[in-house]
Amino acid sequence: MDLVFRARRVVTPDGEGPCEVGVEDGRIVAVGAGAGLTGDRVVELGDDVVLLPGLVDTHVHVNDPGRTEWEGFETATRAAAAGGVTTIVDMPLNSLPPTVDVASLAVKRKTAQGRVHVDVGFWGGAVPGNRGDLRALHEAGVFGFKCFLADSGVEEFPPLAEAELEADLAELAGFGATMIVHAEDSAAIEHAPEPHGTRYADFLRSRPREAENLAIARVIELARRTGARVHILHLSSSDALPMIARARADGLALTVETCPHYLTFAAEEIADGATQFKCCPPIREAANRDLLWQGLRAGLIDCVVSDHSPCTPELKRFDTGDFGVAWGGISGLQLGLPAVWTQARQRGCSLAEVVHWMAERPASLVGLAAKGRIAPGHDADFCVFAPDEEFVVDAGNLWHRNPVSAYHGRQLAGVVRSTWLRGEEITGRHPAGRLLRRQP
């Protein structure tokens, strides 16, 4: 074989245990304990590390082209690799142009070509007026369509009104595409106190749980009417879990994600002026965080993805610490695995569960059948992870373009020792990632 891994700890779909993994032509061809595999290259892993499948992050804002000073394909995919992520799916907004038609998708692909260190797929966007472009984007290979129900923060990607959302869902149901929804209700936000000043508690009141709860209820009802597949992005309100459970019990094609920052941080701990923690929907209270963990372990939340939404330091307004004017977004692509593992192990979760949430399930949700598992026939994408090694985050040492991180100064457990894409270790010297298309 081209490559053989031997390790006492390997996470496969059957759990964690000693294993040999054989690779030929970038694909896994053999997995088993004591198989006696031989290869041109044999990697013997120590007892302090675990071989994981490469993670799949389906919620990344690369912001390229147009806002490359915020991130960019080269830095984003290098950061992904440093965090054990071998596949990302790029969001359709914050780039210029946004990915709302086939021409803008072509611009995005051309910008990314030859510059990516991991595999990259693309979401399309659903905005007012582009319903006629959705099927063509689907046929061009996007993995689904993102919409907002409230202000997106950028004027070139406006939200859908309820009637537009229903019509778009009916359109997508006709060809089996998924709508992924930023679910916050614009009216509830308009009636909440305006965000201003340095107190995080004031910002939290400006994005109440009711805004999420109302929007999710509306999405569920419209999914029921249209039969469309829907996915709730970055769930932060645990109040919504019972209605999600009822919708699932009724047979709706509804999936849900949350993010490492909602599972890690708590509103009570955020200091005045610490705008690096601002995101929408917001980080909520510790009790809410614990309920999200319960929902995740119960299967009501399907997966954990980064919602990596970086910006320049200036846009975070550290000069004033004003939550009302700072850009909302957490820059966390490189740190998702250790952040989740740090919390997971404290709650008695296994690495196999973390892999399910951060590799296997997101790959399945977007139809990447060859990703997310150490199993024959899958891409030889791996993360060599030292789960017991701890480190303190220094934002200046991350591969993200800008040294802004809510995790700066935080001690995390778990270090990514190396990341492999189709049987080759990612070194950062030669971008070898591929641009992915949705498979029929």
Side-chain angles (χ1 to χ4, degrees):
M1 298 181 184
D2 301 330
L3 172 68
V4 172
F5 277 98
R6 295 193 184 119
R8 290 189 62 185
R9 300 180 66 185
V10 180
V11 174
T12 71
D14 296 325
E16 180 183 322
C19 202
E20 295 177 356
V21 182
V23 175
E24 289 182 3
D25 297 325
R27 285 286 181 109
I28 299 169
V29 295
V31 178
L37 303 179
T38 60
D40 297 335
R41 181 180 183 187
V42 177
V43 178
E44 301 268 3
L45 297 180
D47 294 348
D48 62 330
V49 296
V50 187
L51 186 66
L52 312 178
L55 304 188
V56 177
D57 192 336
T58 55
H59 194 150
V60 178
H61 294 270
V62 179
N63 308 334
D64 196 5
R67 293 189 173 97
T68 313
E69 69 275 14
W70 294 17
E71 190 60 271
F73 282 106
E74 291 166 311
T75 53
T77 57
R78 190 68 182 89
V85 178
T86 52
T87 304
I88 66 171
V89 186
D90 174 54
M91 283 292 163
L93 74 156
N94 297 347
S95 56
L96 294 169
T99 314
V100 295
D101 53 36
V102 172
S104 59
L105 175 62
V107 171
K108 183 77 70 84
R109 286 183 173 278
K110 183 177 180 180
T111 302
Q113 188 68 48
R115 299 173 54 212
V116 296
H117 297 274
V118 302
D119 287 353
V120 178
F122 302 96
W123 294 106
V127 296
N130 84 324
R131 191 169 305 124
D133 294 296
L134 301 181
R135 183 182 287 269
L137 272 168
H138 178 76
E139 293 173 350
V142 299
F143 285 85
F145 298 89
K146 180 175 186 176
C147 72
F148 279 75
L149 305 186
D151 181 16
S152 72
V154 291
E155 62 181 3
E156 67 274 4
F157 203 96
L160 295 177
E162 182 172 346
E164 293 170 323
L165 175 60
E166 183 172 6
D168 281 2
L169 287 175
E171 175 75 9
L172 298 188
F175 48 89
T178 300
M179 182 74 87
I180 63 173
V181 186
H182 182 121
E184 288 185 287
D185 182 77
S186 58
I189 293 171
E190 289 171 6
H191 288 90
E194 289 192 14
H196 66 278
T198 61
R199 294 183 68 246
Y200 185 78
D202 292 335
F203 168 66
L204 189 58
R205 279 191 286 272
S206 76
R207 311 291 290 216
R209 295 189 195 201
E210 289 76 10
E212 267 191 281
N213 302 339
L214 287 169
I216 292 170
R218 184 169 298 115
V219 169
I220 289 172
E221 177 57 30
L222 295 180
R224 198 183 302 274
R225 288 186 206 170
T226 63
R229 291 207 310 264
V230 295
H231 178 79
I232 302 299
L233 297 166
H234 44 50
L235 179 71
S236 89
S237 171
S238 62
D239 294 350
L241 291 171
M243 75 175 90
I244 290 166
R246 289 193 296 271
R248 294 264 184 84
D250 291 343
L252 269 65
L254 172 69
T255 52
V256 181
E257 69 182 45
T258 194
C259 304
H261 42 276
Y262 301 127
L263 299 172
T264 298
F265 302 118
E268 298 92 332
E269 302 166 357
I270 298 176
D272 290 352
T275 53
Q276 65 269 31
F277 290 92
K278 179 181 176 180
C279 58
C280 299
I283 295 162
R284 304 193 188 279
E285 302 83 359
N288 180 84
R289 176 188 61 193
D290 293 341
L291 289 171
L292 290 177
W293 271 103
Q294 292 180 26
L296 181 63
R297 299 198 74 182
L300 294 176
I301 299 172
D302 296 90
C303 61
V304 182
V305 291
S306 70
D307 188 12
H308 178 66
S309 185
C311 66
T312 61
E314 293 76 20
L315 289 174
K316 277 296 187 182
R317 296 307 305 267
F318 295 125
D319 56 336
T320 65
D322 190 335
F323 282 96
V325 295
W327 174 259
I330 300 289
S331 183
L333 176 57
Q334 186 173 333
L335 297 170
L337 176 57
V340 172
W341 173 237
T342 299
Q343 296 292 319
R345 69 175 188 168
Q346 294 174 8
R347 290 169 164 80
C349 303
S350 68
L351 266 176
E353 288 177 282
V354 172
V355 165
H356 178 75
W357 301 325
M358 303 188 75
E360 183 177 344
R361 194 70 179 117
S364 175
L365 288 174
V366 297
L368 288 169
K371 300 290 187 183
R373 293 184 176 197
I374 297 178
H378 283 62
D379 287 351
D381 300 347
F382 305 111
C383 166
V384 177
F385 185 61
D388 298 323
E389 185 175 344
E390 298 188 352
F391 69 104
V392 175
V393 177
D394 182 343
N397 291 334
L398 301 176
W399 284 98
H400 305 154
R401 183 177 297 278
N402 293 291
V404 176
S405 175
Y407 296 93
H408 179 72
R410 194 174 187 93
Q411 183 165 311
L412 299 178
V415 171
V416 174
R417 296 276 180 84
S418 63
T419 304
W420 301 65
L421 182 68
R422 283 184 295 278
E424 297 291 338
E425 186 173 359
I426 300 172
T427 64
R429 292 189 292 271
H430 305 290
R434 297 176 182 174
L435 304 186
L436 305 177
R437 296 175 184 268
R438 177 194 52 80
Q439 297 301 307

